[in-house]
């Protein structure tokens, strides 16, 4: 998301992830060796590989797959295609996956992958060849019981279908559980596409309910990002009766004082260039900076890292921030927002709906027994509300903000399991 990159310029997400970790781990009485072990990735793969482009040229791409931790189970996490991908971003995202999975009680560790590329400037054929070659390169790390990829920014169900097919061709039989976020016709789960955005709104709704706000029509929401997460967050909020004041993507922000008709916005992006908002007619244009500083009740950053920093945290008017993106708020911004009394539902809780339904998809694939969407959504709500409740209890117990409370909950789970398993050999 180029327009959002200005604020992100000099902030290293891995440094942010480690600072969040240091803050939280200080509340736990852990042996120093365990503290050190959970602070670093377990293993990292970096690969440079050739791809034949449509014009016949061969281009070399760089990709990564990082396993942060595998104590609780196979590692889990998405694959990102973006020009901004680098090893430190992948490390941070892998670490956040460890805490996210542990927090919501999934039997997974954390991983992440990425390829440095601009998927919007590539054809479907080029993307398919890039994906198949990257899948082959990381095949020494991924397996249905070892490490299970999923979509992230710049990738989608089709990308997962290619990875599943590539892996299946090499072993000689279909292995649907090698990836999650697949299309439904090759073993994907009902509700997976919508799950992250739905989870964002489940968490938002719970926070508002606890604060005594029981009428969605009185609550206005601004959403940064209109990719998979932002779109379905907007849709679910709209369906529940919330007033979705503004949405944005890389092409700009769109605002309607009376609330946007999200079905109309989605109908527009269904056929627009690259599914972008550019040119959406039934709203006023605003900048990304204006969206973040909008007069509204809830702000949901659903794009990418480092969007709310010490530079703009003071401008935030919302009383609640729900992090659909991974790492959208820096530690300096956390401090400013905390002192202003702005509540934050942190990424590892707010966007955990995606990996939760990924887990349901993996279980369904392993059992070859598939659930209906009502069952998926019921189980998703149960998992997220339970995790929300645990975070809220740790927040009160330690007198900390929600992010630190979420990380305390997650780190404790992983450190306890590490101690129970013991140190090999
Ligand atoms: N990429 C998503 C995330 O950041 C989903 C990961 C998954 O489903 O494994 O949580």
């Amino acid at each position: 998301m180029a327009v959002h990159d200005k604020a992100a310029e000099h902030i290293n997400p891995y440094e942010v992830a480690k600072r969040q970790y240091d803050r939280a781990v200080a509340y736990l009485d852990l042996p120093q060796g365990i503290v050190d072990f959970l602070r670093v990735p377990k293993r990292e793969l970096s690969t440079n590989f050739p791809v034949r482009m449509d014009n016949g040229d061969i281009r070399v791409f760089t990709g990564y797959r990082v396993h942060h931790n595998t104590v609780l189970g196979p590692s889990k996490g998405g694959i990102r295609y973006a020009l901004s991908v680098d090893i430190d971003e992948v490390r941070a995202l892998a670490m956040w996956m460890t805490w996210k999975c542990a927090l919501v009680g999934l039997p997974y560790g954390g991983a992440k992958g990425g390829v440095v590329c601009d998927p919007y400037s590539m054809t479907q054929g080029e993307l398919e060849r890039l994906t198949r070659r990257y899948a082959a390169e990381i095949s020494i790390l991924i397996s249905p019981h070892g490490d299970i990829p999923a979509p992230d920014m710049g990738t989608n169900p089709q990308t997962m279908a290619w990875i599943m097919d590539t892996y299946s061709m090499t072993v000689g039989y279909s292995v649907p559980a090698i990836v999650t976020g697949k299309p439904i016709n090759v073993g994907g789960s009902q509700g997976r596409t919508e799950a992250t955005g739905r989870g964002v709104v489940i968490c938002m709704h719970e926070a508002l309910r606890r604060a005594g706000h029981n009428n969605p029509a009185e609550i206005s929401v601004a959403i940064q990002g209109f990719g998979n997460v932002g779109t379905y967050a907007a849709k679910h909020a709209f369906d529940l009766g919330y007033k979705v004041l503004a949405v944005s993507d890389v092409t700009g922000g769109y605002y309607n004082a009376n609330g946007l008709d999200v079905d109309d916005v989605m109908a527009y992006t269904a056929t627009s260039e690259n599914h972008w908002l550019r040119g959406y007619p039934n709203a006023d244009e605003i900048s990304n900076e204006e969206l973040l500083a909008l007069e509204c009740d809830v702000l949901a950053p659903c794009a990418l890292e480092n969007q709310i920093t010490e530079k703009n945290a003071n401008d935030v008017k919302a009383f609640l921030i729900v992090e659909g993106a991974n790492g959208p708020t820096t530690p300096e911004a956390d401090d400013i927002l905390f002192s202003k009394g702005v509540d934050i539902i942190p990424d590892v809780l707010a966007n955990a709906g995606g990996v939760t339904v990924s887990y349901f998809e993996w279980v369904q694939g392993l059992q070859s027994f598939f659930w209906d969407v009502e069952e998926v959504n019921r189980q998703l709500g149960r998992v997220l509300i339970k995790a929300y409740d645990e975070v809220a209890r740790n927040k009160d117990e330690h007198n900390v903000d929600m992010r630190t409370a979420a990380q305390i909950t997650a780190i404790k789970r992983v450190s306890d399991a590490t101690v129970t398993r013991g140190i090999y050999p």
Side-chain angles (χ1 to χ4, degrees):
M1 292 216 144
V3 286
H4 304 159
D5 279 355
K6 230 187 305 152
E9 243 161 8
H10 300 297
I11 305 168
N12 180 331
Y14 187 41
E15 295 303 323
V16 170
K18 285 191 291 191
R19 284 175 56 200
Q20 294 171 345
Y21 173 77
D22 292 341
R23 261 182 202 196
V25 85
Y27 289 89
L28 295 167
D29 188 20
L30 302 180
Q32 189 58 41
I34 302 287
V35 173
D36 296 344
F37 170 58
L38 301 184
R39 199 172 186 270
V40 289
K42 174 190 173 76
R43 58 170 80 95
E44 307 179 341
L45 176 86
S46 153
T47 167
N48 301 303
F49 55 91
V51 176
R52 193 176 298 281
M53 309 306 280
D54 283 355
N55 67 1
D57 288 355
I58 292 168
R59 260 183 66 192
V60 177
F61 289 86
T62 301
Y64 307 98
R65 184 78 184 165
V66 171
H67 294 176
H68 173 260
N69 190 280
T70 59
V71 169
L72 287 174
S75 55
K76 188 85 190 76
I79 291 171
R80 177 171 291 196
Y81 287 178
L83 286 174
S84 53
V85 164
D86 65 25
I87 185 67
D88 275 350
E89 185 189 52
V90 181
R91 286 172 175 153
L93 291 163
M95 189 167 181
W96 285 323
M97 285 309 301
T98 300
W99 310 141
K100 195 185 302 186
C101 293
L103 177 63
V104 294
L106 308 180
Y108 286 142
K112 204 80 177 195
V115 177
V116 186
C117 66
D118 174 11
Y120 299 108
S121 70
M122 296 171 69
T123 65
Q124 282 298 101
E126 289 169 343
L127 281 170
E128 177 171 355
R129 292 191 292 280
L130 176 136
T131 299
R132 288 185 182 278
R133 180 61 188 245
Y134 170 70
E137 296 290 337
I138 64 167
S139 66
I140 51 176
L141 287 189
I142 63 172
S143 77
H145 293 288
D147 176 26
I148 306 112
D152 196 79
M153 243 173 67
T155 59
N156 55 36
Q158 178 62 67
T159 323
M160 296 306 113
W162 290 327
I163 295 177
M164 174 199 156
D165 187 70
T166 303
Y167 186 87
S168 299
M169 287 302 109
T170 62
V171 295
Y173 49 88
S174 288
V175 188
I178 183 66
V179 285
T180 59
K182 298 177 289 292
I184 287 177
N185 68 349
V186 292
S189 177
Q190 300 288 340
R192 175 61 185 86
T193 301
E194 302 84 356
T196 315
R198 172 175 279 268
V200 167
V201 173
I202 290 172
C203 290
M204 173 185 93
H205 193 73
E206 179 66 8
L208 292 168
R209 187 189 68 76
R210 285 172 183 242
H213 299 286
N214 292 313
N215 184 1
E218 288 171 3
I219 298 291
S220 59
V221 186
I223 298 177
Q224 183 201 37
F226 209 67
N228 171 267
V229 182
T231 298
Y232 289 103
K235 169 70 175 148
H236 195 46
F238 178 71
D239 287 348
L240 289 179
Y242 288 99
K243 189 165 157 184
V244 179
L245 267 192
V247 296
S248 73
D249 70 10
V250 67
T251 66
Y254 292 81
Y255 166 81
N256 188 324
N258 300 317
L260 294 160
D261 176 342
V262 175
D263 289 329
D264 185 60
V265 183
M266 287 176 72
Y268 183 81
T269 56
T271 56
S272 65
E273 186 200 359
N274 289 328
H275 306 296
W276 283 328
L277 290 163
R278 182 188 284 130
Y280 176 66
N282 302 322
D284 300 325
E285 278 197 48
I286 57 171
S287 69
N288 179 56
E289 288 72 27
E290 286 168 331
L291 182 135
L292 294 174
L294 205 63
E295 199 71 60
C296 62
D297 298 312
V298 183
L299 176 63
C302 298
L304 77 174
E305 300 97 66
N306 300 330
Q307 295 306 297
I308 307 175
T309 68
E310 60 194 323
K311 294 202 186 104
N312 60 4
N314 261 314
D315 304 333
V316 169
K317 315 278 188 316
F319 64 77
L320 177 67
I321 294 178
V322 192
E323 296 184 334
N326 291 310
T329 314
T330 65
E332 292 80 9
D334 272 341
D335 291 341
I336 295 169
L337 294 163
F338 189 72
S339 67
K340 275 167 54 111
V342 178
D343 284 324
I344 301 179
I345 310 177
D347 47 9
V348 291
L349 175 60
N351 73 33
V355 72
T356 301
V357 176
S358 273
Y359 166 62
F360 300 156
E361 178 177 332
W362 181 71
V363 168
Q364 292 171 76
L366 291 175
Q367 298 187 336
S368 297
F369 178 78
F370 292 89
W371 313 352
D372 60 28
V373 72
E374 289 77 20
E375 180 65 6
V376 169
N377 288 339
R378 188 181 66 80
Q379 296 274 8
L380 172 62
R382 179 186 61 79
V383 167
L384 290 182
I385 297 299
K386 180 163 173 278
Y388 192 108
D389 197 56
E390 279 160 354
V391 174
R393 269 192 280 120
N394 264 326
K395 174 186 184 323
D396 293 343
E397 186 185 324
H398 295 281
N399 193 23
V400 291
D401 59 277
M402 285 285 276
R403 185 186 318 286
T404 308
Q407 296 233 346
I408 290 172
T409 316
I411 294 167
K412 177 146 184 10
R413 229 161 246 165
V414 183
S415 61
D416 282 353
T418 307
V419 171
T420 303
R421 282 179 61 159
I423 303 300
Y424 175 87

